[in-house]
Amino acid sequence: EQAKRARRNRMIAAGVGALAVFLSLVYVSRQVKLQAADSHTQMVTTLTGLMISVSSAFIEHPEMRKYFHTADAIPTAEDRDQALAIAVTLADAMDHVSAFLDRLDMPAQKAWKQYFTDTYTTSHVFKEYLDSHAKWYGPTLLKHLGVPDPS
């Protein structure tokens, strides 16, 4: 009788232990999912902030827009410094976005890639800047744009 009771108590203890392990795994799984969602939110917030800085430059200097959205627009001597400053900001933002592109859904990836390509092929000042400073930017952006490997 005592041996049966001891065996039953061990089985109950093992069952309680297994239940505790299971509940711990459920909790950890939930925490991992929450962290992943939080990480994604932080990434999107960062990317949005970068693009807001580019948009702000165009809002503050609407006359610069043509140098990034019109194929034959080449900055005048008077506009060159401001256009280059925007090109630097835009290249930095695109480089950061391209580093996280694979974490975005397919429609977002496609839209960003199109934006990169359109800007690079349309903007003389952006292309000139990026081509001459390619070593400063990551391989993902450069590969997507077809910029030769600077190394």
Side-chain angles (χ1 to χ4, degrees):
E1 182 70 32
Q2 190 175 358
K4 277 184 168 183
R5 196 176 304 152
R7 190 170 145 222
R8 187 178 65 210
N9 287 343
R10 281 194 303 268
M11 288 179 67
I12 290 171
V16 169
L19 180 60
V21 168
F22 174 75
L23 292 175
S24 294
L25 290 174
V26 168
Y27 177 77
V28 168
S29 173
R30 185 174 182 273
Q31 291 300 313
V32 167
K33 288 177 184 176
L34 289 172
Q35 277 186 312
D38 186 46
S39 176
H40 183 78
T41 300
Q42 287 176 339
M43 177 196 61
V44 169
T45 300
T46 299
L47 300 181
T48 301
L50 290 168
M51 293 317 296
I52 286 172
S53 67
V54 172
S55 295
S56 294
F58 288 131
I59 290 168
E60 292 171 19
H61 304 281
E63 71 280 4
M64 293 291 129
R65 199 173 275 283
K66 64 186 171 203
Y67 301 128
F68 295 87
H69 302 292
T70 306
D72 59 350
I74 297 175
T76 63
E78 181 181 309
D79 288 346
R80 185 155 177 76
D81 286 343
Q82 185 63 51
L84 281 173
I86 294 172
V88 170
T89 303
L90 186 56
D92 291 349
M94 285 183 178
D95 190 44
H96 194 77
V97 170
S98 70
F100 293 98
L101 214 52
D102 62 338
R103 295 184 189 176
L104 300 175
D105 60 31
M106 271 307 152
Q109 285 184 34
K110 185 177 177 182
W112 277 111
K113 288 177 181 180
Q114 191 64 54
Y115 178 66
F116 296 164
T117 301
D118 289 352
T119 302
Y120 185 74
T121 58
T122 302
S123 174
H124 176 77
V125 68
F126 181 76
K127 184 178 186 327
E128 178 186 315
Y129 170 78
L130 197 59
D131 288 350
S132 63
H133 296 88
K135 288 184 178 185
W136 295 357
Y137 296 96
T140 304
L141 178 63
L142 300 178
K143 180 180 176 185
H144 176 72
L145 296 175
V147 175
D149 185 355
S151 45

